[in-house]
Amino acid sequence: MSQQEPPYCVTAYDLAYRGKTGALMILLSENERLKTQTDSNGRMLIHWAALGGHDDLVRHLLSLDVPVDPTDDTNMTPLILAASAGREKVVNTLLIEGANVNATTIDGHSALQYAASKNWKSICVALLKKDADVNIADKRGATPLHRAASKGNIAIVELLVEFGKKLNIDQRDAYGNTPLHLACEENRVEEAKLLTTHGADLTITNKERKTPLDLASPGLVRQLEEIKRETASK
């Protein structure tokens, strides 16, 4: 906590996270500046309200002209926090109020990446409908599809593939791996089959000169090669 922060600020951030709107409104009426003051992590009340999933409080803070996209000391915005925590109502509110759907943290993580990684399908849908970049990559080059494929989040892989006009299914991360590499390495059978069915390349090599098939189990290799043969013959 910085020396400029009054002692009650810590309590206020805790109240915001727990959704204690009534108590917080009393504090705000006593000190209007509290609405945009930051804690030791650079977070405002709206960050904590969003993370806690308290849509009513988020709406109230926004009605007080609190900015929709403040960043904390890692460039986390309320939208990124809400998406990461699966807070769908808050995500929708922030998007309606103009939150930057493609904001990223200092490590390059976006709301869509977090939602894809944590299997929050409805949140991914909301973000994509607001033109979230389906190919957005973090500092290690990982896209939402990399995340979903490696975690085995089949519903998210299906969703991202539906946005195929923009999706780069073979995008490589910093290690040269495509989403198919990661699905094969983690033995995510259904995800690997789905990616292959939608045209993922079996021959791309990563920085270790390995193809997805080099990382797959023998059984999965047979299934993926069969899918390729079937698609080629159509």
Side-chain angles (χ1 to χ4, degrees):
M1 187 172 67
S2 72
Q3 292 180 349
Q4 288 74 29
E5 287 178 11
Y8 61 76
C9 275
V10 174
T11 305
Y13 302 122
D14 185 54
L15 290 173
Y17 179 64
R18 292 189 285 142
K20 304 296 184 182
T21 304
L24 197 56
M25 285 174 71
I26 293 172
L27 290 178
L28 285 166
S29 68
E30 294 171 352
N31 181 8
E32 189 182 356
R33 291 182 301 171
L34 177 60
K35 68 183 184 182
T36 53
Q37 285 179 346
T38 57
D39 65 7
S40 57
N41 297 309
R43 291 185 179 178
M44 295 182 189
L45 295 174
I46 194 170
H47 284 99
W48 290 108
L51 183 60
H54 306 298
D55 188 53
D56 59 334
L57 181 52
V58 169
R59 288 173 182 269
H60 178 70
L61 290 168
L62 290 171
S63 75
L64 300 177
D65 293 326
V66 170
V68 73
D69 273 330
T71 55
D72 68 8
D73 58 5
T74 63
N75 282 356
M76 281 270 194
T77 63
L79 178 64
I80 295 173
L81 288 169
S84 173
R87 309 301 192 183
E88 185 178 353
K89 282 187 177 180
V90 175
V91 166
N92 287 326
T93 291
L94 292 170
L95 289 173
I96 289 169
E97 294 298 325
N100 179 4
V101 73
N102 291 315
T104 58
T105 68
I106 56 175
D107 292 318
H109 300 143
S110 68
L112 183 59
Q113 283 183 315
Y114 277 115
S117 181
K118 296 191 176 185
N119 211 21
W120 305 124
K121 183 179 178 181
S122 58
I123 290 177
C124 287
V125 170
L127 295 168
L128 288 165
K129 283 183 176 178
K130 282 290 186 177
D131 296 323
D133 181 359
V134 73
N135 299 310
I136 198 166
D138 62 24
K139 286 195 172 179
R140 294 186 177 182
T143 66
L145 188 59
H146 280 96
R147 294 291 192 87
S150 65
K151 290 287 187 72
N153 298 341
I154 187 68
I156 307 299
V157 174
E158 289 173 341
L159 175 66
L160 295 172
V161 165
E162 285 175 14
F163 285 75
K165 289 182 180 179
K166 297 179 181 178
L167 180 69
N168 180 359
I169 202 168
D170 289 322
Q171 191 160 325
R172 302 189 199 201
D173 64 16
Y175 310 99
N177 291 314
T178 65
L180 183 57
H181 275 94
L182 301 184
C184 289
E185 186 174 40
E186 298 294 335
N187 199 34
R188 307 296 188 186
V189 174
E190 294 308 312
E191 291 73 17
K193 288 164 64 177
L194 182 63
L195 290 169
T196 304
T197 300
H198 284 86
D201 195 333
L202 297 179
T203 65
I204 291 178
T205 56
N206 61 18
K207 289 190 174 180
E208 294 181 350
R209 298 185 179 180
K210 293 185 181 297
T211 68
L213 295 181
D214 291 328
L215 303 175
S217 66
L220 182 54
V221 169
R222 287 193 294 273
Q223 291 181 76
L224 298 184
E225 288 180 334
E226 178 61 26
I227 289 170
K228 274 300 180 188
R229 281 194 294 272
E230 287 176 359
T231 19
S233 64
K234 287 180 182 178

